[in-house]
Amino acid sequence: MKDDWKPIVDRLDDLLARLDRLLPAERAPDWKAATAFRWRKHARGGYLEPVRHPHRIAFADLKDIDEQKRRLRENTAQFVAGRPANNVLLTGARGTGKSSLVKAALNEFAPKGLRLIEVDKRDLVDLPDIVDLIAERKERFVIFCDDLSFEASDAGYKSLKVALDGSIAGSADNVLIYATSNRRHLMPEFMDENLQAIHRDGEIHPGETTEEKISLSERFGLWLSFYPFDQEQYLEIADHWVATLGGKPTGESRKAALLWALERGFRSGRVAWQFARDWVGRKANSAA
């Protein structure tokens, strides 16, 4: 009977050996290669991929969010210096500088040992593995999740909750989590959930479903809120980027910036930056 199975076992061994050669080998991160990394997945697990050309932006480039800049800069400075600091949730209108603010923090504090690891929402289940990988490093790490939101069935929800709150193993002292989201409570809210609220002693107590959704965002120690820009703020940002990209802000460029925003139905820092790239590029092309 054993002899009958031997050819099958041999073929399976050969197949596994071939598959093993096709899969990428496990490799330690090249910590000197970059200041920013991305968490990548493959069949064997995950690894940190260096970001060779990170988007470099300075705090000075971010206009009309002075209070948000001050608080994130102070929190990051505390963290880099080895002092107590908070996980941060940046929420609000799209294109108002949430992600750029995190990139500006990396740009300023990287020379002092700050490193950034970008993790996709679907890979948050790997947070324990990522923390174990960097816990003994001397650098200070911000785990960054951009445009974070969850559906009720998402597996990463509980992993993030545990990472923010700390499990029985505790959290690494050299790790913080910075996340951006358009939703303050990170999960969709439905009308029928209001029907679960309880009125007791003159107070309204949210239902269990609502409480569960609120509890995740409450685990971030620092909330920074962002709001849509008014017209003057938008034009100030557009002027800044036109000048930064080598152009000259004029009344003509301002009128064009307003038309650009009108066509998109929204005023934001991102829209102003996109306008400036188009305006300066076309003017330079015409001059040439």
Side-chain angles (χ1 to χ4, degrees):
M1 183 66 70
K2 290 182 180 180
D3 291 339
D4 294 339
W5 282 98
K6 190 174 185 306
I8 298 176
V9 172
D10 289 342
R11 292 187 66 183
L12 286 173
D13 286 341
D14 182 60
L15 177 61
L16 289 173
R18 293 184 182 185
L19 286 173
D20 193 59
R21 286 193 294 270
L22 291 174
L23 292 173
E26 294 292 335
R27 55 185 183 274
D30 183 1
W31 298 110
K32 296 181 180 180
T35 58
F37 300 82
R38 290 191 186 98
W39 181 250
R40 296 299 198 192
K41 296 292 289 289
H42 55 62
R44 290 184 175 181
Y47 64 96
L48 290 174
E49 175 187 73
V51 177
R52 305 290 179 178
H53 305 287
H55 183 195
R56 300 193 182 280
I57 188 167
F59 280 116
D61 289 324
L62 304 174
K63 303 296 184 181
D64 296 300
I65 52 170
D66 293 341
E67 180 62 14
Q68 295 92 328
K69 281 196 291 186
R70 181 187 67 80
R71 298 189 70 187
L72 189 81
R73 181 186 249 151
E74 287 180 353
N75 191 74
T76 308
Q78 292 165 208
F79 175 57
V80 170
R83 303 186 182 99
N86 276 307
N87 299 304
V88 183
L89 177 62
L90 305 92
T91 65
R94 66 187 187 274
T96 48
K98 300 185 296 294
S99 303
S100 295
L101 196 53
V102 177
K103 296 171 186 175
L106 174 66
N107 188 44
E108 179 159 317
F109 291 101
K112 299 179 181 179
L114 184 67
R115 299 292 180 267
L116 186 138
I117 298 173
E118 186 173 11
V119 180
D120 193 86
K121 179 187 72 173
R122 66 178 180 271
D123 296 329
L124 287 173
V125 292
D126 297 327
L127 275 177
D129 296 331
I130 298 172
V131 172
D132 285 345
L133 187 64
I134 61 181
E136 301 302 321
R137 298 288 306 176
K138 63 181 180 179
E139 298 90 350
R140 314 292 284 180
F141 292 91
V142 165
I143 295 177
F144 175 47
C145 192
D146 196 19
D147 198 18
L148 185 62
S149 64
F150 293 103
E151 300 302 325
S153 59
D154 285 343
Y157 175 83
K158 289 186 177 180
S159 297
L160 179 58
K161 198 172 178 181
V162 169
L164 291 168
D165 227 14
S167 64
I168 191 171
S171 301
D173 292 333
N174 66 336
V175 178
L176 282 183
I177 297 174
Y178 285 6
T180 70
S181 178
N182 295 331
R183 295 174 179 169
R184 188 172 186 181
H185 291 146
L186 302 179
M187 294 184 72
E189 300 174 64
F190 302 103
M191 182 65 71
D192 60 359
E193 291 170 0
N194 293 323
L195 302 177
Q196 302 173 17
I198 301 171
H199 185 268
R200 184 185 299 131
D201 299 328
E203 296 181 349
I204 296 177
H205 300 272
E208 289 184 2
T209 304
T210 304
E211 288 281 12
E212 174 68 13
K213 291 182 175 183
I214 293 173
S215 69
L216 178 60
S217 55
E218 284 183 343
R219 282 168 165 78
F220 288 89
L222 182 59
W223 286 6
L224 299 179
S225 298
F226 293 72
Y227 306 97
F229 296 122
D230 62 28
Q231 181 169 297
E232 280 306 310
Q233 290 173 323
Y234 166 74
L235 288 174
E236 180 187 356
I237 297 168
D239 286 348
H240 167 78
W241 283 118
V242 167
T244 299
L245 294 172
K248 183 179 180 180
T250 62
E252 183 188 2
S253 70
R254 285 191 145 213
K255 289 179 182 178
L258 289 175
L259 180 60
W260 184 276
L262 185 63
E263 290 173 345
R264 281 150 185 78
F266 194 70
R267 291 189 296 258
S268 72
R270 181 183 298 125
V271 170
W273 180 72
Q274 291 168 345
F275 159 74
R277 289 174 62 86
D278 176 79
W279 176 263
V280 175
R282 284 192 296 109
K283 287 296 182 183
N285 194 50
S286 298

